[in-house]
Amino acid sequence: MVDRFDAPGRRFALRRLACVAVAIGALAGCSSSGSTASKGQHLGAARTPVACGALSALGVTAAKVKAADPKDAVAFAAAIDAAAQDYAKRLDALRSQMPNALQGDVDAVKTLVKAHDFVGAVAARARIDSWAVDNC
């Protein structure tokens, strides 16, 4: 009987899962303050704090993945799946709070996250993160 988690295969799986965890961590985004001159430039003053709060809530998803044990490949994969679903749900809540020009970016990130393309999702989130730096 061949062990499907032989040492080289298991090491590869653990490395891959660790990379996924790093990418999901990057998706948590930034919560730094931007310049006061550009605060709320694309949204009404009332929507900007809501959008910023929704963006910071995305970090909860990364925390769940970081808490998972990558040595248990099955449990870690389940954590990744649950995190992707949670992140997609949080993106739905975020979308309506973002400027119209960034709503397509939110959709692109969601599509990539649901496909577990976390590296692509990080890249697709660049304009959202830029807006957050200026407005949150």
Side-chain angles (χ1 to χ4, degrees), residues 15 22 31 39 65 100 128 130:
R15 274 194 305 257
V22 169
S31 59
K39 293 226 183 253
V65 174
N100 292 341
I128 296 167
S130 178

Side-chain angles (χ1 to χ4, degrees), residues 2-93:
V2 175
D3 182 8
R4 37 175 246 181
F5 291 107
D6 63 342
R10 185 173 178 89
R11 279 192 298 262
F12 173 76
L14 289 175
R15 274 194 305 257
R16 182 172 180 261
L17 291 174
C19 290
V20 167
V22 169
I24 287 178
L27 278 172
C30 54
S31 59
S32 61
S33 296
S35 65
T36 56
S38 64
K39 293 226 183 253
Q41 68 183 4
H42 299 294
L43 295 175
R47 283 182 53 200
T48 298
V50 175
C52 293
L55 274 168
S56 67
L58 293 173
V60 171
T61 302
K64 290 178 183 177
V65 174
K66 288 179 184 177
D69 182 7
K71 292 178 183 169
D72 182 347
V74 173
F76 195 75
I80 296 288
D81 288 340
Q85 290 175 7
D86 182 53
Y87 199 86
K89 230 184 335 183
R90 291 174 187 275
L91 286 169
D92 286 338

